[in-house]
Amino acid sequence: MALASTEKVVLGCVAFTIFWVLAVFPSVPFMPVGRTAGSLLGAMLMVLFRVMTPEQAYAAIDLPILGLLFGTMVVSIFLERADMFGYLGRALAWRSRGSKDLLLRVCLVSAVASALFTNDTCCVVLTEFILKLARQNNLPPQPFLLALASSANIGSSATPIGNLQNLVIAVQSGITFGQFLIGVFPAMIVGIVANTCILLCYFWKYLSVPPPAEKDQERGGIAAAAASAGPEVVADDEVASHRFTPARMSHASSFNGGLDGVDEPMRRSDSMNSRAAVDTMSMRSRSYNSEGDIQVAIRSMRASTMSQEMVEVSTVSDRRDDGGVGVVGPRKITRTTSHQRSVIIEDAPEGVNNDEGEKGKDGDGPREKRWKVLVWKTAVYLTTLGMLVALLMGLNMSWSAITAALVLLALDFTDAQACLEKVSYSLLIFFCGMFITVDGFNRTGIPNALWELVEPYSRINSAKGTALLAVVILVLSNVASNVPTVLLLGSRVAASAAAISPASEKKAWLILAFVSTVAGNLTLLGSAANLIVCEQARRAQFFGYNLTFWSHLRFGVPSTIIVTAIGLAIVVSY
């Protein structure tokens, strides 16, 4: 493809540069509008500058990718409601045998979870839980946060639904779910093992140091041990009852800025402020220890209108004696954490004021309710399993995910609005703008001209060519982000490989998928999952930790190079 006219080339480069700046640095001082608005701005400029027509812009939007992304979002929301991520968290803490064992579990669980539920979702739901586990055992958080982010990135490379760039590759290449899994899964397994070994070697001294509590107990000061742990130690019950809310498959923000859709799952909507008066009037129905607690709660509600609040809601079973009769009912614990204070409000158990003490307001006893919940959870898991089976059978991935989402919405037997509100529509809009912007930039002819310079030396029929292609993907994924890299290089890499053989074309797509995903571990800015872990850890209340750019880089560079080299050799041999 020849270069377009000079006017189109210049204006197309301007539009794409604006999109790139706002996509990589969404909080720039001169226009802090975020990624979504930046992608729409880039798309609008492509049409406004007449680089492409409106009809071409509409045609550039890839509906199958959007459908697959929407379906996996809805399925992920229902899995969260069915406590799937809670069970994954408990698997980390169950009979842990020390710091090294915990690190191995973090690597394994995050890799498996990211392959099935996307790496962004995995990092959103597990970051705070891992921080609690580290604080409970008096361990440094850094090794476990790096293990979570890096293993989630590597694990997500195994399936088409593991990350966003794999979604694009699977739809554009036509590779089935099973073929994708067979081609990349062995490289993912070896990559996880190599990454775990690097983590153990790098942090061996940190993980071998006994926690302060053990040192004090060895000196015979059990009381001193409890004092030294102080408020840093998290109770086992609190860790086990931690609630996750991965409502968004978020697209993370810049290093210093906030995250789009990362904090949002753990916050109540702004409408909570408008209901503050109603909540105040209804506090008589709630149980408090003293009048002072009520005043503290009122002041906290008033403060919520002036500051952002983090709200965690969990439901636990409780047994209380009411006139000699044991009453079992759920308790809803609402933890509201603001910049000023942390208040815990405990709702009175449902059915306590009922004369029978055995039936809730809907007439069902606790046993019937438990059965209903169990049947509903089973239906969610079976539907998700059916979606995975359909994908493995080679059925259309977009419609398989959408069908599973609609089945779950129907089985919920409630208004779907509450569930659909949790879908990250901003991410879907971002993809629409990005499709148009990248297609407009392709029409300028610049990507094709640059590829023609590199293509003769980066063919995958030789070791040198494969290595050069991997380097190009690594660098471009960290400069332009991995999804735009796949959109820019995908068709060109596939066409170059197709000239060798049809089998080489499939291999080229798998190489692009694996390398562009592992490239996210190179720097903190290389992957949205890295930024999610960083920001979630920094903003965590009471046990926050700041994962810096350089601390990640010191581990990320050797890990990315080694994992890419080993995994690339396995994918090429496929």
Side-chain angles (χ1 to χ4, degrees):
M1 178 181 178
L3 287 174
S5 63
T6 304
E7 180 183 1
K8 283 190 175 181
V9 169
V10 173
L11 294 178
C13 288
V14 171
F16 184 79
T17 301
I18 293 175
F19 160 76
W20 178 82
V21 171
L22 294 177
V24 179
F25 308 103
S27 299
V28 290
F30 63 87
M31 192 179 292
V33 296
R35 273 194 173 95
T36 302
S39 68
L40 290 179
L41 179 61
M44 181 202 69
L45 291 177
M46 285 294 182
V47 177
L48 198 63
F49 292 159
R50 296 186 178 181
V51 178
M52 59 195 310
T53 64
E55 291 74 18
Q56 292 172 336
Y58 288 129
I61 298 176
D62 200 325
L63 291 179
I65 294 177
L66 297 180
L68 180 57
L69 186 57
F70 171 81
T72 53
M73 283 184 188
V74 175
V75 172
S76 178
I77 292 170
F78 274 94
L79 287 174
E80 185 273 331
R81 289 179 55 191
D83 291 333
M84 170 62 74
F85 301 104
Y87 298 144
L88 290 176
R90 294 186 187 98
L92 290 175
W94 185 68
R95 295 187 179 182
S96 178
R97 298 182 178 180
S99 57
K100 300 180 183 65
D101 175 60
L102 181 59
L103 186 70
L104 294 174
R105 295 189 184 198
V106 170
C107 292
L108 178 61
V109 170
S110 58
V112 174
S114 63
L116 298 176
F117 313 119
T118 78
N119 53 351
D120 291 0
T121 301
C122 171
C123 291
V124 167
V125 301
L126 291 181
T127 298
E128 188 175 353
F129 187 88
I130 287 174
L131 283 172
K132 285 184 177 181
L133 280 179
R135 183 58 57 91
Q136 178 194 26
N137 295 280
N138 290 317
L139 297 172
Q142 183 182 354
F144 304 98
L145 294 177
L146 289 175
L148 171 62
S150 58
S151 299
N153 285 329
I154 298 172
S156 68
S157 65
T159 63
I161 61 175
N163 54 62
L164 302 180
Q165 61 269 20
N166 282 9
L167 290 176
V168 176
I169 290 173
V171 173
Q172 290 188 349
S173 65
I175 300 176
T176 65
F177 190 95
Q179 292 173 337
F180 200 106
L181 185 65
I182 294 174
V184 183
F185 184 77
M188 185 272 285
I189 293 295
V190 176
I192 288 294
V193 173
N195 185 69
T196 305
C197 292
I198 295 172
L199 282 166
L200 289 174
C201 294
Y202 192 83
F203 294 104
W204 187 268
K205 292 183 179 179
Y206 293 94
L207 299 175
S208 300
V209 175
E214 292 184 6
K215 291 182 179 180
D216 292 337
Q217 287 179 358
E218 290 175 359
R219 296 169 184 167
I222 299 178
S228 65
E232 295 185 355
V233 178
V234 182
D236 290 337
D237 293 339
E238 183 178 356
V239 173
S241 63
H242 182 70
R243 299 282 294 180
F244 304 103
T245 48
R248 312 251 175 182
M249 292 172 57
S250 54
H251 197 81
S253 166
S254 63
F255 172 61
N256 293 323
L259 295 178
D260 299 336
V262 174
D263 293 333
E264 196 167 345
M266 297 188 67
R267 294 178 186 165
R268 288 186 178 175
S269 62
D270 294 336
S271 60
M272 176 182 176
N273 297 334
S274 63
R275 298 197 304 267
V278 178
D279 294 338
T280 304
M281 296 297 295
S282 63
M283 285 198 312
R284 292 183 179 180
S285 63
R286 300 180 180 179
S287 57
Y288 295 88
N289 294 329
S290 65
E291 182 69 17
D293 293 339
I294 299 178
Q295 298 299 326
V296 172
I298 294 174
R299 289 196 300 269
S300 177
M301 288 182 179
R302 290 175 179 173
S304 67
T305 62
M306 302 173 59
S307 63
Q308 292 177 328
E309 293 186 335
M310 304 290 288
V311 180
E312 180 182 346
V313 181
S314 59
T315 303
V316 296
S317 60
D318 186 24
R319 179 178 295 274
R320 299 185 182 184
D321 294 334
D322 189 5
V325 179
V327 179
V328 180
R331 285 189 299 153
K332 185 164 68 175
I333 307 298
T334 303
R335 171 174 297 173
T336 303
T337 304
S338 65
H339 296 294
Q340 289 83 10
R341 59 180 61 84
S342 176
V343 178
I344 298 178
I345 301 175
E346 177 182 339
D347 286 359
E350 298 179 2
V352 170
N353 295 327
N354 192 295
D355 294 335
E356 297 294 331
E358 295 178 354
K359 293 185 178 181
K361 55 186 177 182
D362 58 353
D364 294 332
R367 184 171 301 175
E368 288 78 5
K369 287 184 177 181
R370 284 196 296 268
W371 273 108
K372 286 183 178 180
V373 171
L374 179 61
V375 171
W376 181 81
K377 287 185 177 182
T378 304
V380 172
Y381 298 148
L382 290 178
T383 303
T384 305
L385 182 62
M387 182 190 74
L388 296 177
V389 171
L391 295 175
L392 287 172
M393 291 175 61
L395 300 181
N396 184 278
M397 286 190 288
S398 299
W399 284 107
S400 297
I402 293 174
T403 302
L406 293 177
V407 169
L408 291 175
L409 290 172
L411 291 176
D412 202 27
F413 291 105
T414 58
D415 189 349
Q417 180 180 356
C419 176
L420 294 178
E421 284 179 350
K422 296 182 179 181
V423 174
S424 181
Y425 296 103
S426 61
L427 181 57
L428 298 175
I429 296 173
F430 170 83
F431 261 71
C432 293
M434 182 176 62
F435 287 143
I436 298 173
T437 306
V438 173
D439 186 70
F441 187 59
N442 282 329
R443 292 178 183 275
T444 64
I446 292 180
N448 192 66
L450 295 175
W451 174 249
E452 288 178 352
L453 298 176
V454 180
E455 191 271 338
Y457 310 100
S458 58
R459 295 179 179 176
I460 63 173
N461 58 350
S462 66
K464 290 183 179 180
T466 304
L468 178 60
L469 178 62
V471 171
V472 171
I473 297 173
L474 279 173
V475 174
L476 197 57
S477 295
N478 280 273
V479 172
S481 186
N482 41 28
V483 178
T485 296
V486 168
L487 292 174
L488 289 171
L489 291 182
S491 60
R492 295 175 175 85
V493 172
S496 175
I500 301 173
S501 67
S504 298
E505 181 181 1
K506 182 188 298 183
K507 186 182 299 183
W509 281 112
L510 296 179
I511 290 174
L512 180 61
F514 181 78
V515 178
S516 63
T517 301
V518 177
N521 287 337
L522 186 65
T523 66
L524 189 62
L525 303 176
S527 169
N530 297 343
L531 292 170
I532 289 172
V533 171
C534 175
E535 288 297 313
Q536 289 279 84
R538 185 175 64 85
R539 297 183 181 187
Q541 297 292 327
F542 309 116
F543 40 83
Y545 180 82
N546 185 26
L547 182 63
T548 64
F549 177 87
W550 296 109
S551 62
H552 184 280
L553 186 67
R554 285 193 295 267
F555 164 77
V557 171
S559 172
T560 303
I561 294 175
I562 294 174
V563 172
T564 301
I566 297 175
L568 191 61
I570 297 175
V571 174
V572 169
S573 63
Y574 166 68

